[in-house]
Amino acid sequence: MRRPRPERPGPGQESVWDYPRPPALEETHELVEVELGGVVIARSTRGWRVLETSHPPTYYLPREAFVDGALVPTQGSSHCEWKGQAAYADLHGGDRVAPRAAWTYPDPTPTFLELADAWAVMPGLVDACRVDGEVVRPQDGGFYGGWITDRVVGPFKGSQGSWGW
């Protein structure tokens, strides 16, 4: 499998091909919002972006960014070689439930300690995710939780044929 040709970033943009591997953690003060069932279930200007080669950023918000009752822990886990063991939650908002749409690392690896009790959201499973008012486009493939905004250019892992990138 050959590496794809990275898009050239314009002014104010980042190429996901300039992100590191292993991934990096970056604090953000952008306004991040998550909407489900017609209501905003999370809002914060305090969060983190995980930046990894070929992936759009995954945003994590502190638990207190979520309204009461929005995060309902559920069964199952997964393992990330960089961040550790993940736990999942169903998201509840308005009259909707998004099963296993959020995850956290309760005991993250030392590099990602700031993510303890921070939650990421799969943007394709909720009504909308926004960064500074811009509606996020979900990363293709349904496996990764990247948030695509006009700030980042690809191509992005997750699209058909990208498994070996």
Side-chain angles (χ1 to χ4, degrees), residues 124-140:
L125 298 179
V126 297
D127 297 346
C129 293
R130 289 183 290 276
V131 176
D132 282 341
E134 180 185 349
V135 175
V136 168
R137 299 172 303 280
Q139 185 174 4
D140 284 342

Side-chain angles (χ1 to χ4, degrees), residues 4-160:
R5 178 173 292 142
E7 297 171 20
R8 182 170 297 194
Q13 290 184 314
E14 305 168 346
S15 170
V16 298
W17 292 92
D18 292 331
Y19 293 163
R21 186 168 172 89
L25 184 63
E26 175 186 275
E27 191 171 355
T28 182
H29 297 285
E30 299 163 291
L31 174 61
V32 177
E33 299 173 296
V34 178
E35 186 177 323
L36 180 65
V39 298
V40 174
I41 62 168
R43 174 182 286 131
S44 185
T45 56
R46 180 176 161 256
W48 299 268
R49 298 189 319 152
V50 172
L51 309 175
E52 181 176 358
T53 305
S54 78
H55 294 268
T58 300
Y59 282 77
Y60 288 78
L61 299 176
R63 178 183 270 288
E64 59 268 16
F66 291 82
V67 300
D68 288 343
L71 291 165
V72 178
T74 191
Q75 297 294 319
S77 65
S78 62
H79 184 80
C80 170
E81 65 182 310
W82 312 114
K83 295 180 285 299
Q85 195 77 11
Y88 289 84
D90 297 338
L91 289 175
H92 291 246
D95 60 353
R96 288 208 41 220
V97 175
R100 291 177 55 95
W103 68 96
T104 188
Y105 293 93
D107 186 25
T109 61
T111 302
F112 293 92
L113 281 178
E114 291 179 84
L115 294 184
D117 210 30
W119 289 82
V121 171
M122 191 73 110
L125 298 179
V126 297
D127 297 346
C129 293
R130 289 183 290 276
V131 176
D132 282 341
E134 180 185 349
V135 175
V136 168
R137 299 172 303 280
Q139 185 174 4
D140 284 342
F143 180 75
Y144 301 108
W147 294 33
I148 301 172
T149 64
D150 291 341
R151 177 178 175 182
V152 296
V153 297
F156 307 108
K157 186 170 180 84
S159 60
Q160 188 170 355

